[in-house]
Amino acid sequence: MTIEEIKATTLADFEVMLKAYSFNQVDKRYIASLIAWQSALARTNDKKGKPVYKKFKDLFDYEKELKQIEDKKEKISKSDIDFYSKIKEMNGGE
């Protein structure tokens, strides 16, 4: 981002960008976990010869990961609010 774009970024814009980044990271971890799951099915078995993971969700719970992101928005501390207020002032009160 350019300095002008940063100055024009509102707190709402920042929160949307942060959430989009967080969702993107969960998607990347999902893909990596899916690859690991496929490898586990092909190679990993317990002592009885059965797969270690019965379901993919045992390895990676996608819905749980997404819910954690959604729940984070309600956990903003006083120091975060102060920080965002300073950014707002720097952006001319927007």
Side-chain angles (χ1 to χ4, degrees):
M1 294 179 82
T2 66
I3 297 295
E4 291 78 24
E5 290 172 327
I6 292 170
K7 287 179 181 179
T9 301
T10 65
L11 179 56
D13 294 336
F14 177 76
E15 288 174 349
V16 168
M17 288 187 288
L18 182 60
K19 186 173 274 193
Y21 175 79
S22 297
F23 281 124
N24 184 272
Q25 292 303 304
V26 170
D27 284 343
K28 286 181 180 181
R29 289 178 35 220
Y30 174 80
I31 291 167
S33 297
L34 180 58
I35 292 168
W37 167 253
Q38 291 167 337
S39 295
L41 284 177
R43 293 185 273 137
T44 307
N45 297 313
D46 64 13
K47 292 179 182 180
K48 295 180 182 179
K50 295 183 180 183
V52 174
Y53 300 106
K54 304 286 187 237
K55 297 179 277 183
F56 178 68
K57 194 172 186 176
D58 294 339
L59 180 65
F60 185 83
D61 190 340
Y62 186 74
E63 289 78 19
K64 180 181 174 184
E65 296 284 335
L66 295 177
K67 183 167 177 12
Q68 286 178 343
I69 293 171
E70 290 295 330
D71 291 346
K72 282 184 183 180
K73 69 179 176 184
E74 297 171 10
K75 299 177 184 177
I76 298 175
S77 69
K78 169 110 172 72
S79 63
D80 288 340
I81 292 170
D82 292 342
F83 176 73
Y84 294 143
S85 295
K86 289 186 188 296
I87 291 174
K88 183 178 177 179
E89 285 177 32
M90 291 170 53
N91 284 336
E94 295 177 10

